Amino acid sequence: MKNNLPAIALLFLLCSLNSQAQTTYPGNLIFNSQVDLNSFPSHYTHVTGSLYIQNSDITDLTPLNNIQSIGNDLVISGNSNLTSLGGLNDLVAIGDDLMISSNSNLAVISGLNNLKTVAGSFNIQFNSNLTSIAGFSQLNSVQDLSLIHISEP
């Protein structure tokens, strides 16, 4: 039994590393439709690259409800049917920029209540129906903040 201890320890270590790797999505994620987003596996909690939600028919971000960190950028742009950021409730950290732009039916930015850190720029711009950006009570670190609201006639 004594000779098997190093092998058992190695097996335990490999299982532990494999478990962590299974919760980390390596690279960038790009969602251009609700179908794509709905097919995203729910076991991922971390994204090493950027997360793009753009130019789409997306209405519901709840398939992303387990994401806790994004290594690079989070870009939510050009989603005319998106009315809420609900589904990003577990997000705590963004390794670079956060861009929320040109989402014409987004009236209230909430759902990012647990976000604490944006290591780069935080930009909210050109969301023509935006009336409130409540829900950033935990945010304590951001490099640069830009809020631009342009109403369309």
Side-chain angles (χ1 to χ4, degrees), residues 23-119:
T23 62
T24 300
Y25 185 89
N28 297 330
L29 282 169
I30 301 171
F31 295 110
N32 293 311
S33 73
Q34 189 68 52
V35 171
D36 291 344
L37 189 57
N38 290 346
S39 66
F40 181 67
S42 63
H43 66 272
Y44 289 114
T45 57
H46 307 282
V47 177
T48 62
S50 295
L51 172 56
Y52 299 96
I53 302 165
Q54 58 189 17
N55 304 319
S56 69
D57 64 350
I58 291 175
T59 58
D60 178 21
L61 300 180
T62 56
L64 300 173
N65 64 357
N66 289 327
I67 299 294
Q68 298 172 7
S69 69
I70 298 169
N72 291 328
D73 302 329
L74 171 57
V75 177
I76 303 170
S77 179
N79 303 290
S80 60
N81 296 324
L82 190 64
T83 59
S84 165
L85 300 184
L88 296 173
N89 302 337
D90 284 352
L91 186 60
V92 174
I94 299 171
D96 205 354
D97 299 339
L98 170 58
M99 167 77 71
I100 302 170
S101 173
S102 303
N103 301 290
S104 58
N105 285 312
L106 187 62
V108 177
I109 295 180
S110 61
L112 292 168
N113 301 339
N114 290 314
L115 184 62
K116 294 181 181 177
T117 303
V118 176

